[in-house]
Amino acid sequence: GDSVTQTEGLVTVTEGLPVKLNCTYQTTYLTIAFFWYVQYLNEAPQVLLRSSTDNKRTEHQGFHATLHKSSSSFHLQKSSAQLSDSALYYCALSGSNNYAQGLTFGLGTRVSVFP
Amino acid sequence: DTTVKQNPRYKLARVGKPVNLICSQTMNHDTMYWYQKKPNQAPKLLLFYYDKILNREADTFEKFQSSRPNNSFCSLYIGSAGLEYSAMYLCASSRGGGGSYEQYFGPGTRLTVL
């Protein structure tokens, strides 16, 4: 089956410094869609980034990620972490064919930004 | 409005008793999903409705039922709760039937089975 691996359970970073969250995957889908979801405390998960194009950088709210099918990765990065970025981040994939299907999630990475 | 609502937010159930969780969305989305999230585990897809068609994951096929009486509402039903059902249950919806559509999540219902 499909799997998504997020190697860090917790990432702590000082405000203003860069942060990188790792995400790798295994899938049998021929075409795939990737998502980064962010979940703030006591809120619902919400989409942060989405991509299905190989080697194309996707950006939103200062975060960016590039899908690299050659290395099966979709790492999330930000050049300058803010206190408001403290949250739980999920990497997830889905097949991007025309059939409805659910997401396969990673375990999640909790980011704590300190002043 | 991109809100997905879930009721109740917290549910306490007794072992052997039924549990019914409710999800609603007003975005006229075609697809509604249910995920289960346990501590130290990734959210896991349980089932989804695409329009009126129910799709259940093979490994949870017999554990969960669902109904979708109209486009806006979807329920998750446990006929006889066991301790292993204690978890956070997340509902989501998406426009269209393809996997590339963004899923909008509700805040979840935390179920505790005693």
Side-chain angles (χ1 to χ4, degrees), chain B residues 34-88:
Chain B
W34 282 100
Y35 293 84
Q36 180 190 62
K37 171 72 173 76
K38 292 185 174 181
N40 301 316
Q41 296 183 21
K44 177 181 171 12
L45 178 70
L46 297 177
L47 52 86
F48 64 88
Y49 263 100
Y50 174 57
D51 194 13
K52 296 181 174 63
I53 300 172
L54 174 62
N55 296 268
R56 288 185 285 180
E57 292 294 285
D59 57 345
T60 56
F61 189 87
E62 296 180 346
K63 293 185 175 182
F64 299 93
Q65 294 285 341
S66 183
S67 66
R68 192 177 186 186
N70 55 54
N71 177 269
S72 300
F73 287 87
C74 187
S75 68
L76 182 69
Y77 181 76
I78 301 167
S80 177
L83 297 176
E84 70 276 16
Y85 287 90
S86 291
M88 175 72 82

Side-chain angles (χ1 to χ4, degrees), chain A residues 32-92:
Chain A
I32 50 177
F34 266 92
F35 303 85
W36 275 101
Y37 278 84
V38 57
Q39 185 174 20
Y40 300 104
L41 191 61
N42 296 323
E43 295 186 13
Q46 55 186 287
V47 165
L48 178 61
L49 289 174
R50 178 176 63 185
S51 179
S52 58
T53 305
D54 197 14
N55 297 316
K56 180 180 178 181
R57 176 173 165 139
T58 302
E59 298 189 36
H60 186 60
Q61 295 182 348
F63 287 91
H64 64 91
T66 303
L67 178 60
H68 291 297
K69 293 184 179 180
S70 60
S71 58
S72 301
S73 67
F74 190 53
H75 306 317
L76 181 68
Q77 300 183 66
K78 190 174 186 181
S79 59
S80 176
Q82 305 300 309
L83 295 176
S84 57
D85 294 329
S86 294
L88 180 60
Y89 292 79
Y90 288 106
C91 184

